[in-house]
PDB file of all heavy atoms in Angstrom:
ATOM      1  N   LEU A  95      50.776  50.354  82.420  1.00 98.00           N
ATOM      2  CA  LEU A  95      49.395  50.868  82.396  1.00 98.00           C
ATOM      3  C   LEU A  95      48.424  49.792  81.907  1.00 98.00           C
ATOM      4  O   LEU A  95      47.294  49.700  82.373  1.00 98.00           O
ATOM      5  CB  LEU A  95      49.302  52.127  81.515  1.00 98.00           C
ATOM      6  CG  LEU A  95      47.922  52.793  81.479  1.00 98.00           C
ATOM      7  CD1 LEU A  95      47.481  53.246  82.880  1.00 98.00           C
ATOM      8  CD2 LEU A  95      47.907  54.007  80.527  1.00 98.00           C
ATOM      9  N   ILE A  98      47.332  47.726  84.751  1.00 98.00           N
ATOM     10  CA  ILE A  98      46.376  48.451  85.591  1.00 98.00           C
ATOM     11  C   ILE A  98      44.994  48.470  84.924  1.00 98.00           C
ATOM     12  O   ILE A  98      43.975  48.177  85.548  1.00 98.00           O
ATOM     13  CB  ILE A  98      46.890  49.895  85.857  1.00 98.00           C
ATOM     14  CG1 ILE A  98      48.150  49.832  86.743  1.00 98.00           C
ATOM     15  CG2 ILE A  98      45.805  50.765  86.493  1.00 98.00           C
ATOM     16  CD1 ILE A  98      48.892  51.140  86.916  1.00 98.00           C
ATOM     17  N   LEU A  99      44.989  48.759  83.632  1.00 98.00           N
ATOM     18  CA  LEU A  99      43.701  48.884  82.924  1.00 98.00           C
ATOM     19  C   LEU A  99      42.988  47.548  82.757  1.00 98.00           C
ATOM     20  O   LEU A  99      41.772  47.512  82.567  1.00 98.00           O
ATOM     21  CB  LEU A  99      43.919  49.519  81.540  1.00 98.00           C
ATOM     22  CG  LEU A  99      44.440  50.961  81.526  1.00 98.00           C
ATOM     23  CD1 LEU A  99      44.621  51.440  80.083  1.00 98.00           C
ATOM     24  CD2 LEU A  99      43.500  51.909  82.280  1.00 98.00           C
ATOM     25  N   LEU A 139      45.923  55.816  76.074  1.00 98.00           N
ATOM     26  CA  LEU A 139      45.649  56.603  77.279  1.00 98.00           C
ATOM     27  C   LEU A 139      46.919  57.101  77.964  1.00 98.00           C
ATOM     28  O   LEU A 139      46.867  58.099  78.686  1.00 98.00           O
ATOM     29  CB  LEU A 139      44.781  55.781  78.245  1.00 98.00           C
ATOM     30  CG  LEU A 139      43.414  55.372  77.668  1.00 98.00           C
ATOM     31  CD1 LEU A 139      42.650  54.497  78.659  1.00 98.00           C
ATOM     32  CD2 LEU A 139      42.567  56.598  77.302  1.00 98.00           C
ATOM     33  N   ILE A 140      48.045  56.447  77.720  1.00 98.00           N
ATOM     34  CA  ILE A 140      49.277  56.858  78.414  1.00 98.00           C
ATOM     35  C   ILE A 140      49.673  58.290  78.035  1.00 98.00           C
ATOM     36  O   ILE A 140      50.295  59.003  78.818  1.00 98.00           O
ATOM     37  CB  ILE A 140      50.445  55.859  78.160  1.00 98.00           C
ATOM     38  CG1 ILE A 140      51.577  56.053  79.178  1.00 98.00           C
ATOM     39  CG2 ILE A 140      51.038  55.970  76.761  1.00 98.00           C
ATOM     40  CD1 ILE A 140      51.326  55.543  80.541  1.00 98.00           C
ATOM     41  N   HIS A 141      49.290  58.716  76.825  1.00 98.00           N
ATOM     42  CA  HIS A 141      49.577  60.104  76.433  1.00 98.00           C
ATOM     43  C   HIS A 141      48.308  60.954  76.425  1.00 98.00           C
ATOM     44  O   HIS A 141      48.296  62.060  75.892  1.00 98.00           O
ATOM     45  CB  HIS A 141      50.227  60.143  75.040  1.00 98.00           C
ATOM     46  CG  HIS A 141      51.523  59.411  74.971  1.00 98.00           C
ATOM     47  ND1 HIS A 141      52.618  59.767  75.725  1.00 98.00           N
ATOM     48  CD2 HIS A 141      51.906  58.312  74.273  1.00 98.00           C
ATOM     49  CE1 HIS A 141      53.618  58.936  75.466  1.00 98.00           C
ATOM     50  NE2 HIS A 141      53.205  58.034  74.602  1.00 98.00           N
ATOM     51  N   LYS A 142      47.242  60.425  76.999  1.00 98.00           N
ATOM     52  CA  LYS A 142      45.957  61.136  77.044  1.00 98.00           C
ATOM     53  C   LYS A 142      45.534  61.626  75.661  1.00 98.00           C
ATOM     54  O   LYS A 142      45.207  62.809  75.474  1.00 98.00           O
ATOM     55  CB  LYS A 142      46.018  62.310  78.022  1.00 98.00           C
ATOM     56  CG  LYS A 142      46.317  61.885  79.451  1.00 98.00           C
ATOM     57  CD  LYS A 142      46.085  63.030  80.385  1.00 98.00           C
ATOM     58  CE  LYS A 142      46.270  62.596  81.830  1.00 98.00           C
ATOM     59  NZ  LYS A 142      46.069  63.696  82.772  1.00 98.00           N
ATOM     60  N   ALA A 143      45.584  60.738  74.702  1.00 98.00           N
ATOM     61  CA  ALA A 143      45.236  61.140  73.334  1.00 98.00           C
ATOM     62  C   ALA A 143      43.771  61.536  73.226  1.00 98.00           C
ATOM     63  O   ALA A 143      42.906  60.929  73.857  1.00 98.00           O
ATOM     64  CB  ALA A 143      45.529  59.997  72.369  1.00 98.00           C
ATOM     65  N   ASP A 144      43.517  62.563  72.440  1.00 98.00           N
ATOM     66  CA  ASP A 144      42.146  62.992  72.165  1.00 98.00           C
ATOM     67  C   ASP A 144      41.602  62.282  70.940  1.00 98.00           C
ATOM     68  O   ASP A 144      40.424  61.986  70.852  1.00 98.00           O
ATOM     69  CB  ASP A 144      42.107  64.501  71.891  1.00 98.00           C
ATOM     70  CG  ASP A 144      42.614  65.298  73.073  1.00 98.00           C
ATOM     71  OD1 ASP A 144      41.930  65.291  74.108  1.00 98.00           O
ATOM     72  OD2 ASP A 144      43.709  65.910  72.970  1.00 98.00           O
ATOM     73  N   ALA A 163      38.442  53.785  79.665  1.00 98.00           N
ATOM     74  CA  ALA A 163      38.758  55.133  80.178  1.00 98.00           C
ATOM     75  C   ALA A 163      37.586  55.680  80.988  1.00 98.00           C
ATOM     76  O   ALA A 163      37.774  56.246  82.077  1.00 98.00           O
ATOM     77  CB  ALA A 163      39.081  56.067  79.016  1.00 98.00           C
ATOM     78  N   THR A 164      36.378  55.468  80.492  1.00 98.00           N
ATOM     79  CA  THR A 164      35.193  55.972  81.188  1.00 98.00           C
ATOM     80  C   THR A 164      35.065  55.316  82.565  1.00 98.00           C
ATOM     81  O   THR A 164      34.801  55.980  83.572  1.00 98.00           O
ATOM     82  CB  THR A 164      33.926  55.682  80.341  1.00 98.00           C
ATOM     83  OG1 THR A 164      34.109  56.258  79.052  1.00 98.00           O
ATOM     84  CG2 THR A 164      32.684  56.253  80.983  1.00 98.00           C
ATOM     85  N   PHE A 166      37.450  53.977  84.399  1.00 98.00           N
ATOM     86  CA  PHE A 166      38.495  54.468  85.308  1.00 98.00           C
ATOM     87  C   PHE A 166      38.096  55.847  85.832  1.00 98.00           C
ATOM     88  O   PHE A 166      38.142  56.102  87.037  1.00 98.00           O
ATOM     89  CB  PHE A 166      39.860  54.546  84.595  1.00 98.00           C
ATOM     90  CG  PHE A 166      40.980  54.919  85.529  1.00 98.00           C
ATOM     91  CD1 PHE A 166      41.796  53.937  86.087  1.00 98.00           C
ATOM     92  CD2 PHE A 166      41.200  56.248  85.900  1.00 98.00           C
ATOM     93  CE1 PHE A 166      42.812  54.280  86.978  1.00 98.00           C
ATOM     94  CE2 PHE A 166      42.205  56.598  86.798  1.00 98.00           C
ATOM     95  CZ  PHE A 166      43.019  55.604  87.330  1.00 98.00           C
ATOM     96  N   ASN A 167      37.703  56.715  84.920  1.00 98.00           N
ATOM     97  CA  ASN A 167      37.328  58.079  85.313  1.00 98.00           C
ATOM     98  C   ASN A 167      36.202  58.081  86.346  1.00 98.00           C
ATOM     99  O   ASN A 167      36.204  58.873  87.284  1.00 98.00           O
ATOM    100  CB  ASN A 167      36.857  58.874  84.082  1.00 98.00           C
ATOM    101  CG  ASN A 167      38.015  59.300  83.188  1.00 98.00           C
ATOM    102  OD1 ASN A 167      39.177  59.136  83.551  1.00 98.00           O
ATOM    103  ND2 ASN A 167      37.693  59.844  82.027  1.00 98.00           N
ATOM    104  N   GLN A 168      35.241  57.173  86.138  1.00 98.00           N
ATOM    105  CA  GLN A 168      34.093  57.160  87.050  1.00 98.00           C
ATOM    106  C   GLN A 168      34.468  56.598  88.419  1.00 98.00           C
ATOM    107  O   GLN A 168      34.025  57.075  89.443  1.00 98.00           O
ATOM    108  CB  GLN A 168      32.949  56.355  86.439  1.00 98.00           C
ATOM    109  CG  GLN A 168      32.193  57.178  85.415  1.00 98.00           C
ATOM    110  CD  GLN A 168      31.201  56.369  84.598  1.00 98.00           C
ATOM    111  OE1 GLN A 168      31.119  55.145  84.736  1.00 98.00           O
ATOM    112  NE2 GLN A 168      30.450  57.049  83.744  1.00 98.00           N
ATOM    113  N   LYS A 169      35.317  55.592  88.418  1.00 98.00           N
ATOM    114  CA  LYS A 169      35.657  54.945  89.684  1.00 98.00           C
ATOM    115  C   LYS A 169      36.635  55.777  90.502  1.00 98.00           C
ATOM    116  O   LYS A 169      36.566  55.821  91.714  1.00 98.00           O
ATOM    117  CB  LYS A 169      36.246  53.556  89.415  1.00 98.00           C
ATOM    118  CG  LYS A 169      36.309  52.686  90.659  1.00 98.00           C
ATOM    119  CD  LYS A 169      36.423  51.222  90.287  1.00 98.00           C
ATOM    120  CE  LYS A 169      36.634  50.315  91.463  1.00 98.00           C
ATOM    121  NZ  LYS A 169      35.560  50.323  92.440  1.00 98.00           N
ATOM    122  N   TYR A 170      37.563  56.451  89.813  1.00 98.00           N
ATOM    123  CA  TYR A 170      38.574  57.230  90.528  1.00 98.00           C
ATOM    124  C   TYR A 170      38.419  58.726  90.297  1.00 98.00           C
ATOM    125  O   TYR A 170      37.808  59.426  91.093  1.00 98.00           O
ATOM    126  CB  TYR A 170      39.970  56.726  90.165  1.00 98.00           C
ATOM    127  CG  TYR A 170      40.203  55.352  90.739  1.00 98.00           C
ATOM    128  CD1 TYR A 170      39.962  54.221  89.980  1.00 98.00           C
ATOM    129  CD2 TYR A 170      40.608  55.187  92.063  1.00 98.00           C
ATOM    130  CE1 TYR A 170      40.127  52.954  90.516  1.00 98.00           C
ATOM    131  CE2 TYR A 170      40.777  53.927  92.610  1.00 98.00           C
ATOM    132  CZ  TYR A 170      40.530  52.810  91.839  1.00 98.00           C
ATOM    133  OH  TYR A 170      40.681  51.572  92.376  1.00 98.00           O
ATOM    134  N   GLN A 171      38.930  59.177  89.185  1.00 97.00           N
ATOM    135  CA  GLN A 171      38.962  60.621  88.946  1.00 97.00           C
ATOM    136  C   GLN A 171      39.019  60.830  87.447  1.00 97.00           C
ATOM    137  O   GLN A 171      39.619  60.025  86.731  1.00 97.00           O
ATOM    138  CB  GLN A 171      40.241  61.153  89.591  1.00 97.00           C
ATOM    139  CG  GLN A 171      40.271  62.614  89.926  1.00 97.00           C
ATOM    140  CD  GLN A 171      41.675  62.985  90.427  1.00 97.00           C
ATOM    141  OE1 GLN A 171      42.248  62.275  91.253  1.00 97.00           O
ATOM    142  NE2 GLN A 171      42.216  64.062  89.916  1.00 97.00           N
ATOM    143  N   GLU A 172      38.429  61.921  87.007  1.00 98.00           N
ATOM    144  CA  GLU A 172      38.395  62.210  85.563  1.00 98.00           C
ATOM    145  C   GLU A 172      39.782  62.569  85.059  1.00 98.00           C
ATOM    146  O   GLU A 172      40.110  63.744  84.911  1.00 98.00           O
ATOM    147  CB  GLU A 172      37.494  63.424  85.301  1.00 98.00           C
ATOM    148  CG  GLU A 172      36.032  63.219  85.538  1.00 98.00           C
ATOM    149  CD  GLU A 172      35.299  62.756  84.290  1.00 98.00           C
ATOM    150  OE1 GLU A 172      35.761  63.080  83.176  1.00 98.00           O
ATOM    151  OE2 GLU A 172      34.291  62.047  84.451  1.00 98.00           O
ATOM    152  N   ILE A 173      40.598  61.603  84.791  1.00 98.00           N
ATOM    153  CA  ILE A 173      41.926  61.997  84.293  1.00 98.00           C
ATOM    154  C   ILE A 173      42.104  61.731  82.800  1.00 98.00           C
ATOM    155  O   ILE A 173      42.931  62.357  82.163  1.00 98.00           O
ATOM    156  CB  ILE A 173      43.077  61.350  85.099  1.00 98.00           C
ATOM    157  CG1 ILE A 173      43.064  59.834  84.986  1.00 98.00           C
ATOM    158  CG2 ILE A 173      43.058  61.774  86.550  1.00 98.00           C
ATOM    159  CD1 ILE A 173      44.339  59.217  85.537  1.00 98.00           C
ATOM    160  N   PHE A 174      41.331  60.812  82.262  1.00 98.00           N
ATOM    161  CA  PHE A 174      41.526  60.499  80.841  1.00 98.00           C
ATOM    162  C   PHE A 174      40.506  61.221  79.954  1.00 98.00           C
ATOM    163  O   PHE A 174      39.305  61.134  80.217  1.00 98.00           O
ATOM    164  CB  PHE A 174      41.366  58.994  80.597  1.00 98.00           C
ATOM    165  CG  PHE A 174      42.442  58.161  81.248  1.00 98.00           C
ATOM    166  CD1 PHE A 174      42.112  57.179  82.181  1.00 98.00           C
ATOM    167  CD2 PHE A 174      43.792  58.334  80.916  1.00 98.00           C
ATOM    168  CE1 PHE A 174      43.091  56.395  82.780  1.00 98.00           C
ATOM    169  CE2 PHE A 174      44.775  57.555  81.508  1.00 98.00           C
ATOM    170  CZ  PHE A 174      44.420  56.583  82.443  1.00 98.00           C
ATOM    171  N   PRO A 175      40.980  61.881  78.897  1.00 98.00           N
ATOM    172  CA  PRO A 175      40.022  62.314  77.876  1.00 98.00           C
ATOM    173  C   PRO A 175      39.475  61.051  77.210  1.00 98.00           C
ATOM    174  O   PRO A 175      40.189  60.051  77.140  1.00 98.00           O
ATOM    175  CB  PRO A 175      40.873  63.112  76.878  1.00 98.00           C
ATOM    176  CG  PRO A 175      42.276  63.088  77.374  1.00 98.00           C
ATOM    177  CD  PRO A 175      42.370  62.157  78.529  1.00 98.00           C
ATOM    178  N   ILE A 176      38.226  61.086  76.769  1.00 98.00           N
ATOM    179  CA  ILE A 176      37.678  59.910  76.076  1.00 98.00           C
ATOM    180  C   ILE A 176      38.058  60.048  74.593  1.00 98.00           C
ATOM    181  O   ILE A 176      37.573  60.951  73.916  1.00 98.00           O
ATOM    182  CB  ILE A 176      36.144  59.820  76.249  1.00 98.00           C
ATOM    183  CG1 ILE A 176      35.778  59.859  77.744  1.00 98.00           C
ATOM    184  CG2 ILE A 176      35.600  58.550  75.599  1.00 98.00           C
ATOM    185  CD1 ILE A 176      36.450  58.809  78.618  1.00 98.00           C
ATOM    186  N   GLU A 317      54.175  61.407  83.498  1.00 98.00           N
ATOM    187  CA  GLU A 317      53.154  62.233  84.156  1.00 98.00           C
ATOM    188  C   GLU A 317      51.854  61.454  84.339  1.00 98.00           C
ATOM    189  O   GLU A 317      51.268  61.453  85.419  1.00 98.00           O
ATOM    190  CB  GLU A 317      52.853  63.482  83.305  1.00 98.00           C
ATOM    191  CG  GLU A 317      53.858  64.586  83.483  1.00 98.00           C
ATOM    192  CD  GLU A 317      53.658  65.727  82.474  1.00 98.00           C
ATOM    193  OE1 GLU A 317      52.600  65.769  81.788  1.00 98.00           O
ATOM    194  OE2 GLU A 317      54.565  66.560  82.365  1.00 98.00           O
ATOM    195  N   THR A 318      51.424  60.795  83.268  1.00 98.00           N
ATOM    196  CA  THR A 318      50.155  60.059  83.348  1.00 98.00           C
ATOM    197  C   THR A 318      50.250  58.927  84.364  1.00 98.00           C
ATOM    198  O   THR A 318      49.347  58.720  85.179  1.00 98.00           O
ATOM    199  CB  THR A 318      49.760  59.486  81.965  1.00 98.00           C
ATOM    200  OG1 THR A 318      49.790  60.529  81.015  1.00 98.00           O
ATOM    201  CG2 THR A 318      48.387  58.851  81.996  1.00 98.00           C
ATOM    202  N   LEU A 319      51.351  58.216  84.317  1.00 98.00           N
ATOM    203  CA  LEU A 319      51.469  57.056  85.213  1.00 98.00           C
ATOM    204  C   LEU A 319      51.483  57.486  86.688  1.00 98.00           C
ATOM    205  O   LEU A 319      50.853  56.843  87.533  1.00 98.00           O
ATOM    206  CB  LEU A 319      52.731  56.262  84.850  1.00 98.00           C
ATOM    207  CG  LEU A 319      52.714  54.778  85.129  1.00 98.00           C
ATOM    208  CD1 LEU A 319      51.445  54.098  84.613  1.00 98.00           C
ATOM    209  CD2 LEU A 319      53.945  54.110  84.497  1.00 98.00           C
ATOM    210  N   VAL A 320      52.150  58.583  86.966  1.00 98.00           N
ATOM    211  CA  VAL A 320      52.167  59.094  88.351  1.00 98.00           C
ATOM    212  C   VAL A 320      50.735  59.448  88.773  1.00 98.00           C
ATOM    213  O   VAL A 320      50.276  59.089  89.868  1.00 98.00           O
ATOM    214  CB  VAL A 320      53.094  60.335  88.459  1.00 98.00           C
ATOM    215  CG1 VAL A 320      52.877  61.073  89.769  1.00 98.00           C
ATOM    216  CG2 VAL A 320      54.556  59.919  88.328  1.00 98.00           C
ATOM    217  N   GLU A 321      50.032  60.104  87.874  1.00 98.00           N
ATOM    218  CA  GLU A 321      48.657  60.511  88.168  1.00 98.00           C
ATOM    219  C   GLU A 321      47.773  59.276  88.415  1.00 98.00           C
ATOM    220  O   GLU A 321      46.993  59.238  89.367  1.00 98.00           O
ATOM    221  CB  GLU A 321      48.142  61.278  86.950  1.00 98.00           C
ATOM    222  CG  GLU A 321      47.264  62.449  87.275  1.00 98.00           C
ATOM    223  CD  GLU A 321      46.839  63.162  85.992  1.00 98.00           C
ATOM    224  OE1 GLU A 321      47.503  63.009  84.941  1.00 98.00           O
ATOM    225  OE2 GLU A 321      45.824  63.866  86.038  1.00 98.00           O
ATOM    226  N   VAL A 322      47.923  58.290  87.552  1.00 98.00           N
ATOM    227  CA  VAL A 322      47.121  57.064  87.684  1.00 98.00           C
ATOM    228  C   VAL A 322      47.434  56.378  89.019  1.00 98.00           C
ATOM    229  O   VAL A 322      46.543  55.968  89.769  1.00 98.00           O
ATOM    230  CB  VAL A 322      47.405  56.109  86.500  1.00 98.00           C
ATOM    231  CG1 VAL A 322      46.829  54.716  86.753  1.00 98.00           C
ATOM    232  CG2 VAL A 322      46.838  56.676  85.206  1.00 98.00           C
ATOM    233  N   LYS A 323      48.715  56.265  89.332  1.00 98.00           N
ATOM    234  CA  LYS A 323      49.095  55.580  90.566  1.00 98.00           C
ATOM    235  C   LYS A 323      48.610  56.336  91.800  1.00 98.00           C
ATOM    236  O   LYS A 323      48.209  55.732  92.788  1.00 98.00           O
ATOM    237  CB  LYS A 323      50.615  55.404  90.617  1.00 98.00           C
ATOM    238  CG  LYS A 323      51.126  54.343  89.669  1.00 98.00           C
ATOM    239  CD  LYS A 323      52.622  54.231  89.799  1.00 98.00           C
ATOM    240  CE  LYS A 323      53.185  53.096  88.989  1.00 98.00           C
ATOM    241  NZ  LYS A 323      54.643  53.044  89.075  1.00 98.00           N
ATOM    242  N   ASN A 324      48.639  57.652  91.711  1.00 98.00           N
ATOM    243  CA  ASN A 324      48.095  58.447  92.810  1.00 98.00           C
ATOM    244  C   ASN A 324      46.616  58.176  93.026  1.00 98.00           C
ATOM    245  O   ASN A 324      46.155  58.049  94.160  1.00 98.00           O
ATOM    246  CB  ASN A 324      48.312  59.945  92.576  1.00 98.00           C
ATOM    247  CG  ASN A 324      49.732  60.359  92.893  1.00 98.00           C
ATOM    248  OD1 ASN A 324      50.452  59.644  93.608  1.00 98.00           O
ATOM    249  ND2 ASN A 324      50.164  61.486  92.356  1.00 98.00           N
ATOM    250  N   CYS A 325      45.904  58.073  91.927  1.00 98.00           N
ATOM    251  CA  CYS A 325      44.476  57.775  92.021  1.00 98.00           C
ATOM    252  C   CYS A 325      44.257  56.440  92.718  1.00 98.00           C
ATOM    253  O   CYS A 325      43.337  56.266  93.511  1.00 98.00           O
ATOM    254  CB  CYS A 325      43.864  57.646  90.622  1.00 98.00           C
ATOM    255  SG  CYS A 325      43.574  59.178  89.792  1.00 98.00           S
ATOM    256  N   LEU A 326      45.102  55.463  92.360  1.00 98.00           N
ATOM    257  CA  LEU A 326      44.894  54.104  92.844  1.00 98.00           C
ATOM    258  C   LEU A 326      45.449  53.886  94.256  1.00 98.00           C
ATOM    259  O   LEU A 326      45.095  52.914  94.931  1.00 98.00           O
ATOM    260  CB  LEU A 326      45.593  53.102  91.908  1.00 98.00           C
ATOM    261  CG  LEU A 326      45.079  53.049  90.469  1.00 98.00           C
ATOM    262  CD1 LEU A 326      46.078  52.322  89.579  1.00 98.00           C
ATOM    263  CD2 LEU A 326      43.729  52.340  90.414  1.00 98.00           C
TER     264      LEU A 326
END
Side-chain angles (χ1 to χ4, degrees):
L95 183 60
I98 292 171
L99 296 179
L139 299 177
I140 196 75
H141 299 298
K142 299 192 175 179
D144 300 292
T164 304
F166 185 97
N167 285 352
Q168 280 170 356
K169 194 160 174 62
Y170 291 94
Q171 202 186 314
E172 291 269 332
I173 63 169
F174 294 121
I176 306 305
E317 279 171 12
T318 308
L319 209 48
V320 166
E321 218 179 339
V322 168
K323 287 181 174 177
N324 282 341
C325 283
L326 297 165

